[in-house]
Amino acid sequence: QVQLVESGGGLVQPGGSLKLSCAASGTIFSIRNMGWYRQAPGKERELVAQVSPGGTTDYADSAKGRFTISRDNAKNTVYLQMNSLKPGDTAVYYCTALILPNFGGNYYTYWGQGTQVTVSS
């Protein structure tokens, strides 16, 4: 089985920074894109950022210039460095990855359990 385990959420003041981490483990042959979504209360889940195996990144407009996504392919881990945080960034952040568990099989999208990020004074 494949698991995505997130860490790094918490409470931070406006203007502060947090770094989220997400490690994929289990039966993994290959990982394509890895990314982060978030869901605020009463709102739909939205893409924050994603990164390809080669390091190509894509950001939501709300994240551009403040957030940086990166990955360590050797560790099957993706990171999200969040700077200049605003109250509007408050949400549960979910890690996601497109994973091929076994050679010759299919790719599946896996999700982490979510980590709460609260930006408040």
Side-chain angles (χ1 to χ4, degrees):
Q1 298 296 329
V2 174
Q3 280 190 317
L4 299 182
V5 179
E6 299 131 336
S7 61
L11 173 64
V12 63
Q13 292 186 344
S17 298
L18 279 177
K19 186 174 184 177
L20 306 182
S21 300
C22 171
S25 63
T27 303
I28 298 172
F29 181 80
S30 175
I31 303 179
R32 286 183 177 171
N33 278 15
M34 303 183 80
W36 293 92
Y37 281 71
R38 69 185 183 186
Q39 187 167 21
K43 294 187 177 181
E44 294 186 353
R45 192 173 297 190
E46 62 177 4
L47 175 68
V48 177
Q50 59 183 346
V51 58
S52 72
T56 300
T57 57
D58 182 37
Y59 294 93
D61 287 344
S62 59
K64 289 178 181 176
R66 299 188 300 126
F67 295 0
T68 302
I69 190 170
S70 60
R71 64 190 281 173
D72 184 331
N73 292 328
K75 296 181 179 179
N76 291 336
T77 299
V78 62
Y79 306 96
L80 185 68
Q81 176 67 47
M82 303 185 291
N83 299 327
S84 302
L85 283 161
K86 306 173 183 179
D89 295 316
T90 296
V92 178
Y93 284 70
Y94 296 91
C95 167
T96 184
L98 187 60
I99 295 175
L100 178 66
N102 299 288
F103 177 75
N106 296 316
Y107 277 91
Y108 298 96
T109 298
Y110 293 88
W111 293 87
Q113 79 283 0
T115 185
Q116 177 70 46
V117 171
T118 302
V119 185
S120 176
S121 55

